[in-house]
Amino acid sequence: QNELAGKGVGICDELITLEVMSPDVCDLTLIDLPGIARVPVKGQPEDIGKQIKRLIMKFIVKHETINLVVVPCNTDIATTEALKMAQEVDPKGIRTVAILTKPDLIDKGTEKNVLAIVHNNVIPLRKGYIMVKCRGQQQIDDKIPLEEVAQMERDFFQNHDYFRCLLEEDKATVKSLAVKLAQDLVDHIKKSLPQLYEQIKKQLWNVKTALKECEDGPPENLEAAKEFLIKTLNRFNEQIKLLISGEPMNEMNEKHLCFQFRAEFKKWNDNLNKSKPSFSDLKQLSENYRGWELPGFSNYRLFEKILQDRVAKFKEPATHLLNTIKDIIMKQFSDVDKLNSIQLNQQEKAEQRISEQFKMENRIFTQDPIFLKILSEVKNETFSEDALPVFDKLCTYSHMLEAYYEETAQLLSTDIMKILENPDVHELLSENSDVGRRRKELRARLNRLTAAAEEISKFLID
């Protein structure tokens, strides 16, 4: 209690739970709430009364609870604040039971007034009233056994001139209260079952929906896990084929890869068009640095340097575009770890090709025989000067890119299937711990709710 509420006389919203197990006790959950304080004592906050009322209201407002209002017999029940709070949340008195205590302390001559209250003639409650005589402090100090105290309580009512009738009506003693509460709780639960059943069905729907979002996790059985892995890889390769053909990988995703690629290439192209210098700018720049050359004739080294500087500015946007495309691809395949190594290898090739292109652009002029000689060596084919018009008229970059694109996708598909050669199935099917934990929790909750729904349905049928 000190750990929760602090040393002293403070309160907190957390419960201190005590479980009592015995064949001789009722199957009840009893929450003992603090009494309503009107004036703070030393060590209590000034608003202790408001805090206690807020705490009490937190529990009694729930329709699943039966509210027990404890009222001493020697006080005016009409002014009892606890009963007033119970009436606010339960105006019809359907789930309120009043317990009258300290019957031995009432004034002589007021017995009939107290009986009128117990008989529900003053403030009617659907569940009525019960009178009890609890142990006194002396009995607690003397450690009198509960069985003996219960007999002493019964003897008190049996020998009382006015309250003897309450024994016959089962409206007196702690034992009668326990029996009544157990029966009232059963009746209350039965009335709440239809509403509770609807709540469980709603929660079941929500849990099933959440499980669908998590998708099926890998089976624990090795053979089933292998089958799951094969299906997963085949499904991934189908996505790769769609990617190669330019089809959307997700029909529900209106902005598929091709759309995103085109948008990024358009941004890149627009940026290049805005950045390219005009002919007059180059001419003016050339004039500013013209030496002994005649007008209209530029120094080769100067002209080469000007173009090289201009071309170099385009390398960063090209590399940025490559990284953007890479991010789009990785987002589509973020759940496949194998893609990382393949992607890094292919990205390195792409960056190398981009660098090669810019290195070639640094050489402004190339003699045709040299160009054809190098091209023949690279392609292992013989090119003559008769082939030059073809290179001038037909740009082969689109075909090169298409081949490179298909090569990458096919390489990815092949490498994915190689995983099945010597698979460490459990390692390959390992997943994010948070996802697995959430799926496990949802499945456990689904089982609990399903079991609860089945049990409640039995009562509803009965």
Side-chain angles (χ1 to χ4, degrees), residues 2-19:
N2 291 340
E3 290 179 3
L4 295 177
K7 294 183 179 180
V9 284
I11 67 168
C12 75
D13 288 0
E14 294 187 57
L15 290 174
I16 299 175
T17 304
L18 176 64
E19 186 174 0

Side-chain angles (χ1 to χ4, degrees), residues 36 69-71 77-88 96-98 123 125 129:
I36 301 173
V69 181
V70 181
V71 183
I77 191 171
T79 61
T80 302
E81 196 162 2
L83 184 59
K84 180 182 177 183
M85 292 180 67
Q87 288 178 319
E88 290 178 5
T96 301
V97 177
I123 301 177
L125 295 175
Y129 297 76

Side-chain angles (χ1 to χ4, degrees), residues 267-366:
K267 291 179 186 177
W268 177 62
N269 188 61
D270 292 344
N271 183 56
L272 292 181
N273 290 333
K274 291 178 182 178
S275 303
K276 67 181 181 181
S278 64
F279 178 76
S280 58
D281 292 337
L282 290 175
K283 181 180 178 183
Q284 180 63 41
L285 191 60
S286 179
E287 283 294 325
N288 292 341
Y289 293 96
R290 184 169 64 87
W292 295 104
E293 297 85 7
L294 293 172
F297 291 85
S298 298
N299 179 281
Y300 169 72
R301 295 298 179 191
L302 174 62
F303 183 71
E304 182 183 48
K305 183 65 169 63
I306 292 173
L307 290 183
Q308 286 175 345
D309 291 344
R310 290 288 176 175
V311 170
K313 293 180 179 179
F314 298 143
K315 183 175 181 180
E316 184 178 348
T319 305
H320 176 73
L321 175 63
L322 172 65
N323 289 324
T324 301
I325 297 300
K326 180 262 296 183
D327 291 340
I328 294 174
I329 292 290
M330 291 302 293
K331 186 176 181 181
Q332 291 288 335
F333 300 99
S334 58
D335 294 333
V336 183
D337 293 336
K338 180 65 181 177
L339 181 63
N340 289 333
S341 59
I342 298 175
Q343 176 270 323
L344 289 173
N345 184 38
Q346 295 302 103
Q347 183 182 0
E348 186 177 327
K349 289 182 181 179
E351 290 176 349
Q352 184 178 352
R353 296 287 174 87
I354 291 174
S355 297
E356 289 173 355
Q357 295 294 326
F358 278 92
K359 284 180 182 178
M360 287 191 292
E361 292 296 334
N362 274 333
R363 181 165 294 181
I364 306 302
F365 299 108
T366 301

Side-chain angles (χ1 to χ4, degrees), residues 168-223:
E168 300 174 1
E169 299 169 3
D170 290 330
K171 293 181 181 296
T173 72
V174 171
K175 182 178 180 180
S176 296
L177 173 62
V179 174
K180 176 177 173 54
L181 286 180
Q183 186 59 48
D184 284 350
L185 185 60
V186 171
D187 295 340
H188 188 62
I189 290 174
K190 285 183 178 179
K191 291 179 182 178
S192 304
L193 284 182
Q195 181 183 359
L196 185 61
Y197 186 62
E198 290 301 318
Q199 291 177 359
I200 290 177
K201 287 200 299 183
K202 184 177 180 181
Q203 291 183 36
L204 269 172
W205 174 265
N206 293 336
V207 170
K208 289 179 180 179
T209 302
L211 268 175
K212 287 181 180 179
E213 294 177 357
C214 290
E215 297 185 353
D216 294 332
E220 295 182 1
N221 178 272
L222 181 59
E223 291 302 319

